[in-house]
Amino acid sequence: MDHITPSTPLETAVSARQFWQPDLPDVVRDALHSSGLSPHLLTLEITESVLLDVPDAAQILGALHALGVRLSLDDFGTGSATCTACPCTA
């Protein structure tokens, strides 16, 4: 079994419950600090439905982006989201 090292890219899904937590960016920052993982090696997968259901999604995405982590929009286009409805204006 391979071990995760601070140089191993890591991709993980963020659940709706996790995304609703106001301290999600702090939790991610603390996890990066304690693991030694470089932020650019972490990709957080977030589904379109979560983004549409969370009123402060744009602010949360901005805070996560500011940490230097990569963001991946999972299942985009499979639900009711459109580019105009998505709160993630980049």
Side-chain angles (χ1 to χ4, degrees):
M1 179 175 193
D2 293 328
H3 295 292
I4 295 175
T5 65
S7 62
T8 301
L10 180 64
E11 198 167 307
T12 188
V14 176
S15 73
R17 174 182 268 171
Q18 291 168 318
F19 200 78
W20 274 95
Q21 299 302 312
D23 64 342
L24 176 62
D26 296 329
V27 170
V28 172
R29 184 194 66 236
D30 293 346
L32 289 168
H33 179 72
S34 66
S35 69
L37 184 69
S38 179
H40 76 277
L41 293 174
L42 176 62
T43 301
L44 299 177
E45 295 177 354
I46 303 163
T47 63
E48 71 171 65
S49 59
V50 169
L51 294 180
L52 295 176
D53 291 341
V54 178
D56 296 329
Q59 290 82 4
I60 295 168
L61 290 174
L64 292 170
H65 185 301
L67 293 174
V69 301
R70 300 170 63 108
L71 302 171
S72 172
L73 190 54
D74 194 28
D75 296 333
F76 186 74
T78 61
S80 60
T82 65
C83 287
T84 57
C86 185
C88 47
T89 56

